[in-house]
Amino acid sequence: MAKASIHIEKRKNPNQERYNDRSIPPNYLLPEHLRKPIEVWNYADQALELKQAIVLKAQKDYSNTHNGRAFIATDFNYTGIVNLEAHHTLEEVKAYVAEFHRRYGWQCYQAVIHRDEGDPDPLEGGVTYNYHAHLEWITLDENNGESLKRKFHKNRGALRDLQTWTAEFFKMERGELVEISGHKHVDGRQYATIANAQKKRYRAKLEKEKQKAKKEAQEEAQKQYEKHLSPDQVKAQRLEDFKSLCSLAGMDSKDIPTKADEAKAGLEAGIRQLTTNLSTLCALASGGKPNTPKVVMENFTNLETAINTAYSALIEVKGLNNELTTLDKKSHRNQSARGVKNH
């Protein structure tokens, strides 16, 4: 929660009115997407026109009330900065200006609420907004053109009373007395210097975080790359896995081609033998006649079974030997039985 305070200083910036309405934006504003709308009573051109009218009238009034004496005052243009909270409106500020005029006689020609300044944190995404109003005054009496500033500053307690009244008007907590807090107000230029320094620190912190994240991403990418296998590496890995399986099966991986050739030759020999046996059995069953459809079909079925069994045996050589032996014995028994019966 912001504490109430008002700081008054002599107008130093010749373009203060345009800085106030942002027709000349200062370089310490928040990033555009974080700015909130400002509120303006009298944009720069209107404000300067009103200011000129106030000063001209004061010069005439002074001359008329001082026996034609020339108006020579120059120290009468002052800026006030009032701390606010987010809920305060321009209408409240204008009411404050009207009451200020009633109490102290100062004539305000521009009032602006700023909601586009503060301290951003790009890493956290938050903003501490600096809500405040800029008030531009001519400190000349509206009736006789005399300076009111001197009377105000001669009164030691006037500024202290002003701080208390400002807090009460805006329903805010009053700030500590400067004698206790030791706080010194910073003007626009000083604030810009501080804000720019903060931005540099934020940018440096953000850049440091970005570099850290980039380094971590590179390290993770390197780990992933090191884990990646090329096609040749995959092939070599699979070969190693195959050799391991062969070792578990009790077979040396270098003997795989030899074993495969032996199995193939054994299968072909088995098929040739079965074909010879089939031809012999068919001849015996038909009395030497080639036309024995029923017997041929039965033996072709046996042959097909034998072939399928033999192919399966390519995977398990031991099974091949057992099944071929069993089938061969069974086939011989069946054919012998048929041959005896036919005879």
Side-chain angles (χ1 to χ4, degrees), residues 5 16 53 64 88 108 210 233 281 296:
S5 86
Q16 185 63 54
N64 292 335
H88 288 124
C108 183
K210 284 182 178 179
Q233 290 173 317
L281 290 171
V296 170

PDB file of all heavy atoms in Angstrom, residues 5 16 53 64 88 108 210 233 281 296:
ATOM      1  N   SER A   5       2.063  11.322  -0.174  1.00  0.00           N
ATOM      2  CA  SER A   5       3.097  12.361  -0.105  1.00  0.00           C
ATOM      3  C   SER A   5       2.901  13.288  -1.294  1.00  0.00           C
ATOM      4  O   SER A   5       2.368  12.891  -2.337  1.00  0.00           O
ATOM      5  CB  SER A   5       4.505  11.767  -0.107  1.00  0.00           C
ATOM      6  OG  SER A   5       4.964  11.557  -1.413  1.00  0.00           O
ATOM      7  N   GLN A  16       7.891  20.040 -19.797  1.00  0.00           N
ATOM      8  CA  GLN A  16       7.239  19.248 -18.759  1.00  0.00           C
ATOM      9  C   GLN A  16       5.788  18.909 -19.119  1.00  0.00           C
ATOM     10  O   GLN A  16       5.327  17.781 -18.906  1.00  0.00           O
ATOM     11  CB  GLN A  16       7.266  20.000 -17.433  1.00  0.00           C
ATOM     12  CG  GLN A  16       6.719  19.207 -16.253  1.00  0.00           C
ATOM     13  CD  GLN A  16       7.548  17.961 -15.970  1.00  0.00           C
ATOM     14  OE1 GLN A  16       8.757  18.041 -15.790  1.00  0.00           O
ATOM     15  NE2 GLN A  16       6.904  16.801 -15.949  1.00  0.00           N
ATOM     16  N   ALA A  53      -2.360  32.675 -20.228  1.00  0.00           N
ATOM     17  CA  ALA A  53      -3.455  33.563 -19.842  1.00  0.00           C
ATOM     18  C   ALA A  53      -3.364  33.929 -18.356  1.00  0.00           C
ATOM     19  O   ALA A  53      -3.593  35.088 -17.968  1.00  0.00           O
ATOM     20  CB  ALA A  53      -4.791  32.874 -20.134  1.00  0.00           C
ATOM     21  N   ASN A  64      -1.707  46.999 -11.802  1.00  0.00           N
ATOM     22  CA  ASN A  64      -2.867  47.787 -11.386  1.00  0.00           C
ATOM     23  C   ASN A  64      -2.926  47.975  -9.877  1.00  0.00           C
ATOM     24  O   ASN A  64      -3.403  49.022  -9.400  1.00  0.00           O
ATOM     25  CB  ASN A  64      -4.160  47.125 -11.846  1.00  0.00           C
ATOM     26  CG  ASN A  64      -4.312  47.158 -13.353  1.00  0.00           C
ATOM     27  OD1 ASN A  64      -3.738  48.044 -14.023  1.00  0.00           O
ATOM     28  ND2 ASN A  64      -5.071  46.220 -13.904  1.00  0.00           N
ATOM     29  N   HIS A  88      -7.523   5.721  -7.485  1.00  0.00           N
ATOM     30  CA  HIS A  88      -7.769   7.155  -7.561  1.00  0.00           C
ATOM     31  C   HIS A  88      -8.048   7.596  -9.001  1.00  0.00           C
ATOM     32  O   HIS A  88      -7.457   7.072  -9.949  1.00  0.00           O
ATOM     33  CB  HIS A  88      -6.576   7.936  -7.000  1.00  0.00           C
ATOM     34  CG  HIS A  88      -6.457   7.837  -5.506  1.00  0.00           C
ATOM     35  ND1 HIS A  88      -5.324   7.393  -4.872  1.00  0.00           N
ATOM     36  CD2 HIS A  88      -7.354   8.107  -4.513  1.00  0.00           C
ATOM     37  CE1 HIS A  88      -5.518   7.411  -3.564  1.00  0.00           C
ATOM     38  NE2 HIS A  88      -6.736   7.827  -3.326  1.00  0.00           N
ATOM     39  N   CYS A 108      -3.652  26.003 -10.760  1.00  0.00           N
ATOM     40  CA  CYS A 108      -3.202  24.818 -11.520  1.00  0.00           C
ATOM     41  C   CYS A 108      -3.699  24.916 -12.957  1.00  0.00           C
ATOM     42  O   CYS A 108      -4.868  25.230 -13.205  1.00  0.00           O
ATOM     43  CB  CYS A 108      -3.752  23.557 -10.861  1.00  0.00           C
ATOM     44  SG  CYS A 108      -3.192  22.030 -11.641  1.00  0.00           S
ATOM     45  N   LYS A 210      18.783 -16.665 -19.518  1.00  0.00           N
ATOM     46  CA  LYS A 210      18.676 -17.187 -20.889  1.00  0.00           C
ATOM     47  C   LYS A 210      19.900 -18.018 -21.246  1.00  0.00           C
ATOM     48  O   LYS A 210      19.785 -19.096 -21.843  1.00  0.00           O
ATOM     49  CB  LYS A 210      18.522 -16.030 -21.887  1.00  0.00           C
ATOM     50  CG  LYS A 210      17.141 -15.407 -21.907  1.00  0.00           C
ATOM     51  CD  LYS A 210      17.076 -14.317 -22.964  1.00  0.00           C
ATOM     52  CE  LYS A 210      15.683 -13.712 -23.051  1.00  0.00           C
ATOM     53  NZ  LYS A 210      15.629 -12.624 -24.069  1.00  0.00           N
ATOM     54  N   GLN A 233      25.888 -48.514 -36.395  1.00  0.00           N
ATOM     55  CA  GLN A 233      25.986 -48.887 -34.991  1.00  0.00           C
ATOM     56  C   GLN A 233      24.851 -49.817 -34.587  1.00  0.00           C
ATOM     57  O   GLN A 233      25.040 -50.746 -33.811  1.00  0.00           O
ATOM     58  CB  GLN A 233      25.992 -47.635 -34.111  1.00  0.00           C
ATOM     59  CG  GLN A 233      27.274 -46.812 -34.227  1.00  0.00           C
ATOM     60  CD  GLN A 233      27.168 -45.498 -33.484  1.00  0.00           C
ATOM     61  OE1 GLN A 233      26.150 -44.815 -33.543  1.00  0.00           O
ATOM     62  NE2 GLN A 233      28.233 -45.150 -32.777  1.00  0.00           N
ATOM     63  N   LEU A 281       7.334 -96.907 -53.305  1.00  0.00           N
ATOM     64  CA  LEU A 281       6.091 -97.382 -52.687  1.00  0.00           C
ATOM     65  C   LEU A 281       4.936 -97.374 -53.672  1.00  0.00           C
ATOM     66  O   LEU A 281       4.093 -98.280 -53.695  1.00  0.00           O
ATOM     67  CB  LEU A 281       5.747 -96.510 -51.476  1.00  0.00           C
ATOM     68  CG  LEU A 281       6.677 -96.670 -50.257  1.00  0.00           C
ATOM     69  CD1 LEU A 281       6.373 -95.606 -49.217  1.00  0.00           C
ATOM     70  CD2 LEU A 281       6.541 -98.073 -49.675  1.00  0.00           C
ATOM     71  N   VAL A 296      -0.996 -92.156 -54.628  1.00  0.00           N
ATOM     72  CA  VAL A 296      -0.140 -90.990 -54.900  1.00  0.00           C
ATOM     73  C   VAL A 296      -0.569 -89.788 -54.051  1.00  0.00           C
ATOM     74  O   VAL A 296       0.242 -89.098 -53.453  1.00  0.00           O
ATOM     75  CB  VAL A 296      -0.170 -90.639 -56.397  1.00  0.00           C
ATOM     76  CG1 VAL A 296       0.519 -89.291 -56.633  1.00  0.00           C
ATOM     77  CG2 VAL A 296       0.510 -91.725 -57.196  1.00  0.00           C
TER      78      VAL A 296
END
